[in-house]
């Protein structure tokens, strides 16, 4: 069975500060890992994904994440937070079976940006 | 890029009635569609997986007779909430998948907020 754990249900940073959202995964097979962002009353937008190519993955809006197998982690970072980054962020995992594989989501982290 | 359209974006219905939510892949053929449910300030919980032309596979604890899923074509899946009750009020999101699609398949609709009164 696969799962992801997001540490911290709420993270608050100042505008311009580093954003770090933590995600640890559990998987019996090499995983695909994703970060999604959700704005209020909207669907999910893919920020980035890891599918076994480079371990450092760059996504949209200046976000990036590093896959660390030894730590079973896939933390999301952004060097400088912007007010528009305030949203809910979900880490997710899937197996590599096929495009019909389920995605399992973490509990989410709400990111707040202080002016 | 891949686009998934979900309709309606919000719906209010009376207790005991049924509501149908549509999920369409606009520019690709979705071999698999997923339906999720999200309660306020919570994560997405997978309800069921549907493959075109076959019966949906429901997650444990999801009532298949209450949440009817149809995936009759490669571009359309529907979720019907039958005999809706206030506890069914939630945010429902679909996701469509196809081999070779850019993100390895997972494109989400914009969600449907269902309120049962």
């Amino acid at each position: 069975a696969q799962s992801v754990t997001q540490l911290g249900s709420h993270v608050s940073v100042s505008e311009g500060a580093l954003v770090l959202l933590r995600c640890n995964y559990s998987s019996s097979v090499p995983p695909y890992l994703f970060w999604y962002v959700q704005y209020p009353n909207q669907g999910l937008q893919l920020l980035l994904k890891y599918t076994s190519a480079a371990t450092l993955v760059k996504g949209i809006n200046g976000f990036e994440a590093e896959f660390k197998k030894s730590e079973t982690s896939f933390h999301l970072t952004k060097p400088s937070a912007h007010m528009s980054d305030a949203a809910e962020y979900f880490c997710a995992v899937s197996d590599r079976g096929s495009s019909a594989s389920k995605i399992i989501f973490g509990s989410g982290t709400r990111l707040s940006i202080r002016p | 890029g891949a686009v998934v359209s979900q309709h309606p974006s919000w719906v209010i219905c009376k207790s005991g009635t049924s509501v149908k939510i549509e999920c369409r892949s606009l520019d690709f053929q979705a071999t698999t569609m997923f339906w999720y449910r999200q309660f306020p300030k919570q994560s997405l919980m997978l309800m069921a997986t549907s493959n075109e032309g076959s019966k949906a596979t429901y997650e444990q604890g999801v009532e298949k007779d209450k949440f009817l899923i149809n995936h009759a074509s490669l571009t359309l899946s529907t979720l019907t909430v039958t005999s809706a009750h206030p506890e069914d009020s939630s945010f429902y999101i679909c996701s469509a998948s196809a081999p070779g699609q850019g993100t390895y398949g997972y494109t989400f609709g914009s969600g449907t907020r269902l309120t049962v009164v």
Side-chain angles (χ1 to χ4, degrees):
Chain A
Q2 297 178 302
S3 65
V4 287
T5 301
Q6 291 184 242
L7 301 176
S9 60
H10 182 210
V11 171
S12 179
V13 302
S14 298
E15 189 174 19
L18 171 71
V19 174
L20 171 60
L21 305 183
R22 300 178 186 273
C23 173
N24 288 90
Y25 70 90
S26 174
S27 178
S28 57
V29 298
Y32 284 156
L33 292 160
F34 308 84
W35 275 100
Y36 287 89
V37 61
Q38 184 181 35
Y39 296 97
N41 294 311
Q42 294 188 26
L44 275 70
Q45 181 182 12
L46 179 69
L47 283 176
L48 48 80
K49 67 183 187 293
Y50 167 76
T51 57
S52 83
T55 56
L56 181 62
V57 181
K58 295 187 181 298
I60 62 172
N61 301 339
F63 285 94
E64 63 181 38
E66 186 171 9
F67 173 73
K68 292 187 177 180
K69 183 178 179 180
S70 61
E71 298 178 8
T72 62
S73 69
F74 191 57
H75 302 331
L76 181 70
T77 60
K78 181 174 181 177
S80 177
H82 192 272
M83 295 300 291
S84 60
D85 295 327
E88 189 83 19
Y89 291 80
F90 293 97
C91 181
V93 65
S94 176
D95 67 33
R96 293 161 173 261
S98 73
S99 58
S101 300
K102 297 185 290 189
I103 286 187
I104 305 300
F105 286 88
S107 55
T109 297
R110 182 164 61 91
L111 176 63
S112 298
I113 311 297
R114 301 187 300 270
Chain B
V3 178
V4 172
S5 173
Q6 189 171 339
H7 180 80
S9 56
W10 60 270
V11 58
I12 301 173
C13 71
K14 291 185 177 181
S15 187
T17 62
S18 296
V19 174
K20 180 182 286 188
I21 301 170
E22 292 188 348
C23 181
R24 294 180 183 273
S25 56
L26 298 185
D27 50 3
F28 67 100
Q29 294 185 321
T31 51
T32 305
M33 287 191 175
F34 306 87
W35 287 95
Y36 293 84
R37 183 175 183 176
Q38 184 180 31
F39 289 106
K41 300 187 186 302
Q42 294 189 27
S43 187
L44 284 76
M45 301 302 297
L46 180 65
M47 300 175 65
T49 303
S50 71
N51 293 294
E52 184 266 339
S54 60
K55 290 184 178 180
T57 302
Y58 290 82
E59 295 299 301
Q60 190 173 7
V62 177
E63 300 176 61
K64 60 181 181 181
D65 294 331
K66 181 169 188 60
F67 298 100
L68 301 179
I69 292 173
N70 183 280
H71 192 169
S73 77
L74 285 172
T75 59
L76 175 64
S77 176
T78 60
L79 167 68
T80 301
V81 183
T82 62
S83 187
H85 288 91
E87 57 265 30
D88 299 324
S89 298
S90 189
F91 194 58
Y92 294 86
I93 306 175
C94 69
S95 172
S97 173
Q101 189 188 343
T103 62
Y104 205 95
Y106 303 102
T107 303
F108 286 80
S110 55
T112 297
R113 180 158 302 285
L114 169 64
T115 302
V116 184
V117 298

